[in-house]
Amino acid sequence: MEEQKKRMVTGDRPTGRLHIGHYFGSLKTRLEMQNSGKYDPYILIADVQALTDNFNNPEKVRNNVKEVVMDYLSVGIDPEKTTIYIQSMIPETAELTVFYSNLVTIARLERNPTVKTEIAQKKELFGESVTYGFLGYPVSQAADITVVDGAVVPVGEDQLPLIEQCREIVRKFNSIYGETLKEPEAILSEYKRIKGLDGNEKMGKSLGNAIYLADTEEEVSKKIMSAVTDPQRIKKDDLGHPDVCMVAYYHKLFSTKEEVECVCEECKAGKRGCVACKKQLAQNVNNFLSPIREKRKYYEEHPELVEKILKEGTEKTRQTAKQTMEKVKKAMKLDY
Ligand code: SF4
């Protein structure tokens, strides 16, 4: 008998194109899970969640929905295996969020470490007081997961408190209204956050330190040429420290084991020039991105395919969401 596939739910806020940090941070895990055949993957384009901290910039969110989908498709997310859908097109999620909002206290949300960190990072937007929508996004995220009957959620360590919050809401719902919903499990992604080309722990557009999946060869080369290297190395024969160099760091992601060994040995011995080292890295990154760019170009030239994928994924998700809401409303005695 065929083993039942576990439904995996994950997503991204469409606030910009995806970069290689996203690739190593979450896309690679999703691809592996998709291709393992053990999961039934659902990926949501979290446009409503993106508005929680971009409510004053709806164009930014709207313009990035298809960009993110094209990034997914270009790296190998396969719509035959993975359901891709738009969050705002599933109104059942908003309805479920309202029901869940009675099951969680404001104090509990304020204590959520992920929310606390994000609020601190968004001081510029919120000032001293955060919006109700942003504070409550873990509640809508719980609805995102459970409305499609999600069983597993791949996350980085910093996202674990969000899944714990979701599990608490499910337990509370089931204890009050009867066993109705499934408690999702978090699967810890083994890939770490990738540093920016400038050595910053975070990679992003505002920091100007990211290589995007859709970058051209020229853009990639230009960015790598300005990457931060060992500051103590002035001349080629100065003995280098590859452990403090971002070029060496990126070689470890994109070059072969032999190449990395050679980079480190030659750098330490003062036998390698930084320009040649960067050129070699740019070549390897471009080789990696080349098939991704090609696939992306195909979808850019066929926008109707992207629309069809989103339409079909959204319709399929809606059916699942409707079934969940029937169960939820029955349990809550709202089945008029
Ligand atoms: Fe970095 Fe390469 Fe220069 Fe060494 S030779 S400092 S690894 S760029």
PDB file of all heavy atoms in Angstrom, residues 229-230 233 242 245 247-248 263 267 272-274 277-278, ligand 1:
ATOM      1  N   THR A 229      36.943  41.220   1.206  1.00  0.00           N
ATOM      2  CA  THR A 229      38.008  40.203   1.302  1.00  0.00           C
ATOM      3  C   THR A 229      38.813  40.430   2.595  1.00  0.00           C
ATOM      4  O   THR A 229      38.409  41.244   3.432  1.00  0.00           O
ATOM      5  CB  THR A 229      38.949  40.276   0.080  1.00  0.00           C
ATOM      6  OG1 THR A 229      39.498  41.590   0.031  1.00  0.00           O
ATOM      7  CG2 THR A 229      38.223  39.987  -1.222  1.00  0.00           C
ATOM      8  N   ASP A 230      39.922  39.738   2.704  1.00  0.00           N
ATOM      9  CA  ASP A 230      40.784  39.909   3.876  1.00  0.00           C
ATOM     10  C   ASP A 230      41.377  41.324   3.855  1.00  0.00           C
ATOM     11  O   ASP A 230      42.173  41.654   2.968  1.00  0.00           O
ATOM     12  CB  ASP A 230      41.902  38.841   3.798  1.00  0.00           C
ATOM     13  CG  ASP A 230      42.928  38.999   4.907  1.00  0.00           C
ATOM     14  OD1 ASP A 230      42.759  39.899   5.753  1.00  0.00           O
ATOM     15  OD2 ASP A 230      43.884  38.198   4.922  1.00  0.00           O
ATOM     16  N   ARG A 233      45.193  42.063   3.445  1.00  0.00           N
ATOM     17  CA  ARG A 233      45.899  41.639   2.250  1.00  0.00           C
ATOM     18  C   ARG A 233      45.925  42.784   1.234  1.00  0.00           C
ATOM     19  O   ARG A 233      44.891  43.171   0.692  1.00  0.00           O
ATOM     20  CB  ARG A 233      45.156  40.428   1.667  1.00  0.00           C
ATOM     21  CG  ARG A 233      46.024  39.586   0.836  1.00  0.00           C
ATOM     22  CD  ARG A 233      45.602  38.147   0.874  1.00  0.00           C
ATOM     23  NE  ARG A 233      46.574  37.412   0.108  1.00  0.00           N
ATOM     24  CZ  ARG A 233      46.354  36.974  -1.118  1.00  0.00           C
ATOM     25  NH1 ARG A 233      45.195  37.161  -1.695  1.00  0.00           N
ATOM     26  NH2 ARG A 233      47.309  36.341  -1.762  1.00  0.00           N
ATOM     27  N   PRO A 242      41.748  33.329   4.556  1.00  0.00           N
ATOM     28  CA  PRO A 242      40.471  33.047   3.880  1.00  0.00           C
ATOM     29  C   PRO A 242      39.284  32.951   4.837  1.00  0.00           C
ATOM     30  O   PRO A 242      38.148  33.179   4.435  1.00  0.00           O
ATOM     31  CB  PRO A 242      40.720  31.707   3.179  1.00  0.00           C
ATOM     32  CG  PRO A 242      41.986  31.164   3.735  1.00  0.00           C
ATOM     33  CD  PRO A 242      42.756  32.296   4.293  1.00  0.00           C
ATOM     34  N   CYS A 245      37.375  36.123   4.759  1.00  0.00           N
ATOM     35  CA  CYS A 245      37.092  36.641   3.414  1.00  0.00           C
ATOM     36  C   CYS A 245      35.758  36.101   2.889  1.00  0.00           C
ATOM     37  O   CYS A 245      35.525  34.893   2.890  1.00  0.00           O
ATOM     38  CB  CYS A 245      38.226  36.229   2.479  1.00  0.00           C
ATOM     39  SG  CYS A 245      37.864  36.582   0.760  1.00  0.00           S
ATOM     40  N   VAL A 247      34.769  36.074  -0.141  1.00  0.00           N
ATOM     41  CA  VAL A 247      34.946  35.347  -1.414  1.00  0.00           C
ATOM     42  C   VAL A 247      35.201  33.870  -1.103  1.00  0.00           C
ATOM     43  O   VAL A 247      34.602  32.973  -1.712  1.00  0.00           O
ATOM     44  CB  VAL A 247      36.074  35.982  -2.251  1.00  0.00           C
ATOM     45  CG1 VAL A 247      36.298  35.213  -3.536  1.00  0.00           C
ATOM     46  CG2 VAL A 247      35.746  37.439  -2.554  1.00  0.00           C
ATOM     47  N   ALA A 248      36.065  33.629  -0.113  1.00  0.00           N
ATOM     48  CA  ALA A 248      36.319  32.246   0.296  1.00  0.00           C
ATOM     49  C   ALA A 248      35.041  31.610   0.834  1.00  0.00           C
ATOM     50  O   ALA A 248      34.742  30.444   0.548  1.00  0.00           O
ATOM     51  CB  ALA A 248      37.414  32.206   1.359  1.00  0.00           C
ATOM     52  N   VAL A 263      41.900  27.340  -3.117  1.00  0.00           N
ATOM     53  CA  VAL A 263      41.701  28.760  -2.771  1.00  0.00           C
ATOM     54  C   VAL A 263      42.361  29.035  -1.418  1.00  0.00           C
ATOM     55  O   VAL A 263      43.155  29.966  -1.265  1.00  0.00           O
ATOM     56  CB  VAL A 263      40.187  29.110  -2.711  1.00  0.00           C
ATOM     57  CG1 VAL A 263      39.952  30.450  -2.016  1.00  0.00           C
ATOM     58  CG2 VAL A 263      39.573  29.128  -4.102  1.00  0.00           C
ATOM     59  N   CYS A 267      45.781  31.168  -0.946  1.00  0.00           N
ATOM     60  CA  CYS A 267      45.563  32.454  -0.274  1.00  0.00           C
ATOM     61  C   CYS A 267      46.491  32.563   0.936  1.00  0.00           C
ATOM     62  O   CYS A 267      47.196  33.562   1.101  1.00  0.00           O
ATOM     63  CB  CYS A 267      44.100  32.564   0.145  1.00  0.00           C
ATOM     64  SG  CYS A 267      43.735  34.047   1.096  1.00  0.00           S
ATOM     65  N   ARG A 272      47.952  33.670  -4.467  1.00  0.00           N
ATOM     66  CA  ARG A 272      46.691  33.838  -5.208  1.00  0.00           C
ATOM     67  C   ARG A 272      46.286  35.300  -5.180  1.00  0.00           C
ATOM     68  O   ARG A 272      46.265  35.928  -4.112  1.00  0.00           O
ATOM     69  CB  ARG A 272      45.635  32.947  -4.565  1.00  0.00           C
ATOM     70  CG  ARG A 272      44.203  33.208  -4.975  1.00  0.00           C
ATOM     71  CD  ARG A 272      43.269  32.162  -4.420  1.00  0.00           C
ATOM     72  NE  ARG A 272      43.339  30.945  -5.207  1.00  0.00           N
ATOM     73  CZ  ARG A 272      42.412  30.573  -6.099  1.00  0.00           C
ATOM     74  NH1 ARG A 272      41.351  31.310  -6.303  1.00  0.00           N
ATOM     75  NH2 ARG A 272      42.551  29.465  -6.779  1.00  0.00           N
ATOM     76  N   GLY A 273      45.933  35.837  -6.318  1.00  0.00           N
ATOM     77  CA  GLY A 273      45.471  37.218  -6.383  1.00  0.00           C
ATOM     78  C   GLY A 273      43.972  37.277  -6.133  1.00  0.00           C
ATOM     79  O   GLY A 273      43.230  36.379  -6.542  1.00  0.00           O
ATOM     80  N   CYS A 274      43.514  38.322  -5.444  1.00  0.00           N
ATOM     81  CA  CYS A 274      42.083  38.421  -5.112  1.00  0.00           C
ATOM     82  C   CYS A 274      41.230  38.580  -6.364  1.00  0.00           C
ATOM     83  O   CYS A 274      40.110  38.069  -6.421  1.00  0.00           O
ATOM     84  CB  CYS A 274      41.854  39.594  -4.162  1.00  0.00           C
ATOM     85  SG  CYS A 274      42.542  39.285  -2.528  1.00  0.00           S
ATOM     86  N   CYS A 277      40.756  35.261  -7.932  1.00  0.00           N
ATOM     87  CA  CYS A 277      39.943  34.456  -7.011  1.00  0.00           C
ATOM     88  C   CYS A 277      38.455  34.824  -7.165  1.00  0.00           C
ATOM     89  O   CYS A 277      37.583  33.950  -7.199  1.00  0.00           O
ATOM     90  CB  CYS A 277      40.429  34.734  -5.584  1.00  0.00           C
ATOM     91  SG  CYS A 277      39.824  33.585  -4.377  1.00  0.00           S
ATOM     92  N   LYS A 278      38.210  36.127  -7.304  1.00  0.00           N
ATOM     93  CA  LYS A 278      36.826  36.597  -7.466  1.00  0.00           C
ATOM     94  C   LYS A 278      36.274  36.192  -8.825  1.00  0.00           C
ATOM     95  O   LYS A 278      35.108  35.817  -8.945  1.00  0.00           O
ATOM     96  CB  LYS A 278      36.787  38.131  -7.327  1.00  0.00           C
ATOM     97  CG  LYS A 278      36.974  38.602  -5.902  1.00  0.00           C
ATOM     98  CD  LYS A 278      37.058  40.118  -5.861  1.00  0.00           C
ATOM     99  CE  LYS A 278      37.056  40.629  -4.435  1.00  0.00           C
ATOM    100  NZ  LYS A 278      37.225  42.084  -4.366  1.00  0.00           N
TER     101      LYS A 278
HETATM  102 FE1  SF4 B   1      39.849  36.139  -0.337  1.00  0.00          FE
HETATM  103 FE2  SF4 B   1      40.690  34.833  -2.460  1.00  0.00          FE
HETATM  104 FE3  SF4 B   1      41.771  37.193  -1.806  1.00  0.00          FE
HETATM  105 FE4  SF4 B   1      42.261  35.087  -0.299  1.00  0.00          FE
HETATM  106  S1  SF4 B   1      42.847  35.352  -2.444  1.00  0.00           S
HETATM  107  S2  SF4 B   1      41.679  37.133   0.448  1.00  0.00           S
HETATM  108  S3  SF4 B   1      40.323  33.972  -0.439  1.00  0.00           S
HETATM  109  S4  SF4 B   1      39.661  36.818  -2.450  1.00  0.00           S
END
